[in-house]
Amino acid sequence: MSPFAVKAIQLLLSLSFLIVLHELGHFIPAKLFKTRVEKFYLFFDVKFSLFKKKIGETVYGIGWLPLGGYVKISGMIDESMDKEQMAQPPQPWEFRSKPAWQRLIIMLGGVTVNIIVGFVIYMGILYVYGRNITTNDDLPQGFAVTEQFKEYGFQDGDQILSINGEPLDDVLEINRYIFVRDVSKVEVKHADGSIEIIEVPEDAGSKMFESGIMPAFTPRQGTIIDSVWADYPAQKAGVLVADKIVSINGQEVQYLDEFQKIAEANKGNENIVVIARGNQLDTLKIIPDDKGTFGITFSNEKLRSQLGQTKIEYTLGESIVGGFGFGYNTFRDYVAQFKYVFTKKGATQVGGFGAIGNLFPDVWDWQSFWATTALISIILAFMNILPIPALDGGHVMFLLYEIVTGRKPNDKFMEYAQMVGFFILIALVLFANGNDIYRWLFE
């Protein structure tokens, strides 16, 4: 099965699971408050359904358009725009006849379930799989640091000791902390053994995003070649898999970042590369292509397999506490990075189903599947609570207005608001998926 198919199946399975649970979050309180639910659908049934069956007063079904799902609640102005029903006198079983606090609980149910599901999945992952972290002991060569962050005082080979005075369990989280959290001081141990506290500017995260420095810190790795691309300059020059680059243009290199820096400075020109093959040294002349590409990749997979060697096991109680903390931090960090969407560059980074699908690995792995599903569940919770008409957050916004002022927005206003919100959502979906298509074609 192709990697694309594996990602697509995981995406469909994950979204189906989360959509059904989200809609149950509306369905259950609606039934508890004796509100009639006319439809419960996975995906949208525009013109026809793939499956439907009426049980009691509710039609359960699967639509053909996989853009979400819905429950149709009697007496509610929603995406169905059922004006005929709303023109009739209110009935006791209708949404509009219920007290505002009950309607608020019904509307918050989906988001609440998505938050709970995300947290519970994280708890389950910690209990079943534990957690692999990377400590400084697991990363003896430290980090390779981008040039911009060297201006702050960081150096290649640094090890991260603490952030704002607190040690990091997983040193690989340094990038996420600087990107979305309030980091002012980072204590590092340089390659020469000296220890320094470096002050980080408040706008360091924004600079990371705007300049495309993602990540700013990468685990330092050697120069053993993992693969050689067919018909690229390196292969034509005689480079083989497992060769180790010893020097380039007369300068010795131990690490990939050193090689990349020298190669970048000589971009487009001939490079004299000395490689070690077994016990022999060989000198090759390589002229990269117009884009500066040699056509080689290094031992990324081998490097990743060496990271995260410290495994933490969790008891049931510890997994509940740890999963809650993990879920909270995931939600907080996602909300924090949402501000970048409103920048010029951020708008181009918005993605649709393609971007979501790429969150999944290209081989089936249950731990990764559930971790990604938990992340998507938390993202769905946040996106759904945004105060946009046609989303749960839009309904909540109007209900809070009603509770505070004691005045209910009239039906005509709600109809127009729903239409505006619906068109906003369609525009966002088209824009996000258009970005996916553009990146697929041109990047």
Side-chain angles (χ1 to χ4, degrees):
M1 189 177 294
S2 69
F4 175 82
V6 173
K7 287 176 180 283
I9 291 171
Q10 289 182 94
L11 175 63
L12 185 63
L13 179 61
S14 177
L15 288 181
S16 298
F17 172 72
L18 295 176
I19 289 167
V20 168
L21 291 178
H22 176 91
E23 299 307 335
L24 276 174
H26 297 304
F27 179 85
I28 292 173
K31 300 297 285 185
L32 288 174
F33 295 136
K34 302 187 185 307
T35 309
R36 180 174 295 175
V37 180
E38 299 175 13
K39 286 185 174 183
F40 186 115
Y41 259 76
L42 170 64
F43 306 148
F44 293 112
D45 57 326
V46 181
K47 300 298 184 182
F48 68 92
S49 304
L50 298 178
F51 165 83
K52 64 179 179 179
K53 182 177 179 61
K54 188 170 185 179
I55 302 175
E57 61 191 15
T58 305
V59 175
Y60 299 87
I62 301 175
W64 63 270
L65 186 61
L67 296 180
Y70 70 97
V71 289
K72 186 180 187 307
I73 300 175
S74 296
M76 176 180 173
I77 298 176
D78 57 12
E79 58 271 12
S80 68
M81 301 301 291
D82 190 350
K83 297 181 182 181
E84 182 178 341
Q85 183 185 75
M86 298 303 295
Q88 303 299 318
Q91 302 298 320
W93 62 80
E94 290 186 332
F95 180 82
R96 55 180 165 167
S97 300
K98 303 301 178 182
W101 67 270
Q102 291 186 4
R103 286 180 277 137
L104 182 63
I105 291 174
I106 293 171
M107 294 315 306
L108 286 173
V111 170
T112 303
V113 166
N114 278 135
I115 289 289
I116 292 172
V117 167
F119 281 40
V120 169
I121 291 175
Y122 282 131
M123 294 171 188
I125 290 172
L126 292 182
Y127 183 67
V128 174
Y129 300 103
R131 182 183 173 211
N132 288 330
I133 64 172
T134 301
T135 67
N136 285 318
D137 290 337
D138 300 324
L139 204 62
Q141 307 303 331
F143 287 99
V145 184
T146 60
E147 292 301 315
Q148 181 173 319
F149 273 66
K150 288 178 181 177
E151 297 174 5
Y152 304 148
F154 295 102
Q155 301 174 15
D156 289 326
D158 279 352
Q159 292 185 325
I160 308 300
L161 301 182
S162 68
I163 292 180
N164 295 340
E166 297 291 332
L168 270 182
D169 289 337
D170 188 344
V171 294
L172 295 183
E173 292 186 336
I174 176 66
N175 293 290
R176 181 165 61 90
Y177 271 66
I178 292 179
F179 183 51
V180 296
R181 299 193 187 180
D182 183 18
V183 175
S184 58
K185 294 181 180 180
V186 178
E187 184 181 16
V188 300
K189 181 179 181 181
H190 296 308
D192 62 8
S194 61
I195 295 176
E196 181 182 2
I197 295 177
I198 297 174
E199 294 189 2
V200 180
E202 290 184 7
D203 62 350
S206 298
K207 286 183 176 179
M208 284 176 69
F209 181 76
E210 292 296 336
S211 58
I213 302 174
M214 301 290 284
F217 299 83
T218 54
R220 216 168 192 198
Q221 66 182 101
T223 57
I224 298 175
I225 295 170
D226 190 53
S227 63
V228 181
W229 305 354
D231 299 324
Y232 273 80
Q235 186 196 52
K236 294 176 182 178
V239 176
L240 300 177
V241 171
D243 285 349
K244 179 179 180 180
I245 295 177
V246 176
S247 71
I248 176 172
N249 299 331
Q251 300 182 58
E252 291 188 8
V253 293
Q254 275 187 286
Y255 303 107
L256 174 58
D257 56 280
E258 296 173 335
F259 168 78
Q260 290 174 328
K261 183 178 180 180
I262 299 169
E264 180 66 23
N266 199 44
K267 191 173 182 178
N269 299 318
E270 182 181 79
N271 292 270
I272 307 300
V273 179
V274 177
I275 58 103
R277 183 177 298 161
N279 296 322
Q280 293 184 328
L281 295 179
D282 197 3
T283 300
L284 306 174
K285 295 180 180 180
I286 306 176
I287 302 176
D289 65 14
D290 295 339
K291 296 181 180 179
T293 304
F294 282 69
I296 52 179
T297 55
F298 295 83
S299 307
N300 292 321
E301 292 299 329
K302 295 173 185 175
L303 175 70
R304 280 194 287 269
S305 69
Q306 295 167 6
L307 298 180
Q309 293 177 338
T310 301
K311 185 171 184 178
I312 303 175
E313 301 284 356
Y314 289 79
T315 65
L316 179 60
E318 289 170 340
S319 66
I320 292 173
V321 175
F324 182 87
F326 205 90
Y328 170 77
N329 287 329
T330 300
F331 184 83
R332 180 181 67 174
D333 291 345
Y334 185 79
V335 172
Q337 73 179 21
F338 192 71
K339 64 184 178 182
Y340 295 115
V341 172
F342 301 101
T343 64
K344 183 178 180 180
K345 181 178 179 179
T348 66
Q349 303 302 305
V350 173
F353 291 108
I356 298 172
N358 280 328
L359 294 174
F360 292 96
D362 53 14
V363 293
W364 195 278
D365 174 66
W366 280 111
Q367 183 177 357
S368 297
F369 170 80
W370 285 117
T372 305
T373 298
L375 173 62
I376 294 174
S377 188
I378 288 174
I379 291 173
L380 288 176
F382 175 71
M383 298 303 292
N384 264 290
I385 204 60
L386 292 176
I388 299 174
L391 287 178
D392 294 346
H395 291 285
V396 169
M397 176 178 64
F398 293 126
L399 281 167
L400 290 176
Y401 169 82
E402 178 183 346
I403 291 171
V404 171
T405 64
R407 296 192 301 272
K408 184 178 180 180
N410 65 61
D411 289 348
K412 184 61 66 176
F413 171 81
M414 292 296 292
E415 287 176 11
Y416 285 128
Q418 194 73 15
M419 290 175 60
V420 170
F422 180 75
F423 285 119
I424 290 173
L425 290 182
I426 291 297
L428 288 174
V429 168
L430 292 175
F431 178 73
N433 286 282
N435 277 346
D436 284 346
I437 295 171
Y438 178 85
R439 284 190 288 267
W440 179 63
L441 291 175
F442 300 106
E443 293 185 3

